Amino acid sequence: DADVTQTPRNRITKTGKRIMLECSQTKGHDRMYWYRQDPGLGLRLIYYSFDVKDINKGEISDGYSVSRQAQAKFSLSLESAIPNQTALYFCATQQGRGEQYFGPGTRLTVT
Amino acid sequence: KNEVEQSPQNLTAQEGEFITINCSYSVGISALHWLQQHPGGGIVSLFMLSSGKKKHGRLIATINIQEKHSSLHITASHPRDSAVYICAVPGGGADGLTFGKGTHLIIQP
């Protein structure tokens, strides 16, 4: 079984809809991250979390919110999706300052 | 904010060739990451290094902290090495990564 899982893997939604992307990990890592990937722009940090009580904004947090429900779970929400949020979204985990481990990605399309 | 530049952006080579991908960054760091992204989209960590050189199979990563530069080398390249290679450094908070735009590598048989 994968150490970092993301659901859904693909999602098409309409402008204005609320959508949640979920990330779960079995690695026991304390740090979790959400990134988005756009062609030509590379990966960018949306939010990160040290632990359940620690949530921090990244480079491009506008239009997104997150919830760290447990050490193993970190969800990303789009309160009112817009077309320029169409992207590939990755969750990643890290223990301390070690390597980061990425989930398989969620391909989100907002029409 | 750390600026990360990779070169080349695209590289096509023949099987067996020695490949070099370069990465430079603007602000001193504690460690640098090399990642691989296959056409299916998944991202895998290849190396995390803070000094010197690391080797894993046919992959070699080097870093020069003073020059703020790292290279990823692939020896005896093979078509299965075709992927996007991404350099990343801490800088996004809690060691959230700042990424280069990636090098799209194609190895032709």
Side-chain angles (χ1 to χ4, degrees):
Chain A
D1 287 341
D3 295 319
V4 185
T5 58
Q6 292 183 233
T7 55
R9 295 292 311 279
N10 289 281
R11 181 73 182 267
I12 301 173
T13 192
K14 293 186 185 298
T15 297
K17 293 290 188 182
R18 184 178 188 275
I19 183 168
M20 180 182 289
L21 309 183
E22 298 186 335
C23 176
S24 294
Q25 55 130 337
T26 59
K27 298 187 77 66
H29 288 172
D30 54 359
R31 300 181 181 191
M32 296 186 76
Y33 303 86
W34 276 105
Y35 298 100
R36 67 177 276 177
Q37 185 177 39
D38 298 275
L41 293 178
L43 287 140
R44 292 176 292 166
L45 178 66
I46 307 172
Y47 268 96
Y48 62 97
S49 170
F50 267 133
D51 61 34
V52 173
K53 297 179 183 177
D54 180 80
I55 302 289
N56 301 279
K57 293 182 178 181
E59 180 186 353
I60 52 164
S61 59
D62 287 349
Y64 301 95
S65 63
V66 292
S67 172
R68 184 89 182 260
Q69 302 96 320
Q71 188 194 30
K73 295 185 184 296
F74 193 36
S75 300
L76 176 72
S77 293
L78 288 66
E79 297 302 325
S80 179
I82 56 176
N84 76 0
Q85 290 176 314
T86 293
L88 188 53
Y89 290 83
F90 287 98
C91 172
T93 73
Q94 183 184 34
Q95 183 61 37
R97 288 186 155 183
E99 290 184 60
Q100 291 199 12
Y101 294 84
F102 288 79
T106 294
R107 190 168 298 277
L108 176 66
T109 303
V110 183
T111 62
Chain B
K1 182 186 176 215
N2 220 331
E3 301 293 332
V4 181
E5 297 288 335
Q6 278 187 245
S7 62
Q9 290 186 354
N10 296 282
L11 178 58
T12 299
Q14 295 299 120
E15 183 173 356
E17 286 189 39
F18 182 81
I19 303 298
T20 295
I21 298 170
N22 295 300
C23 174
S24 60
Y25 52 93
S26 57
V27 178
I29 57 170
S30 55
L32 180 142
H33 301 247
W34 280 104
L35 309 168
Q36 180 190 58
Q37 184 172 27
H38 273 284
I43 297 173
V44 175
S45 176
L46 297 175
F47 295 102
M48 188 178 90
L49 68 167
S50 55
S51 64
K53 178 165 101 171
K54 285 191 174 181
K55 184 173 188 289
H56 184 250
R58 294 180 294 105
L59 301 177
I60 303 165
T62 64
I63 189 168
N64 184 320
I65 295 294
Q66 287 73 30
E67 299 281 326
K68 296 186 179 66
H69 181 268
S70 176
S71 293
L72 177 69
H73 305 286
I74 305 175
T75 63
S77 60
H78 189 276
R80 65 174 174 267
D81 297 325
S82 297
V84 177
Y85 292 84
I86 304 169
C87 168
V89 299
D95 295 321
L97 298 174
T98 298
F99 300 82
K101 290 184 168 62
T103 295
H104 188 193
L105 175 66
I106 298 174
I107 304 296
Q108 294 179 333

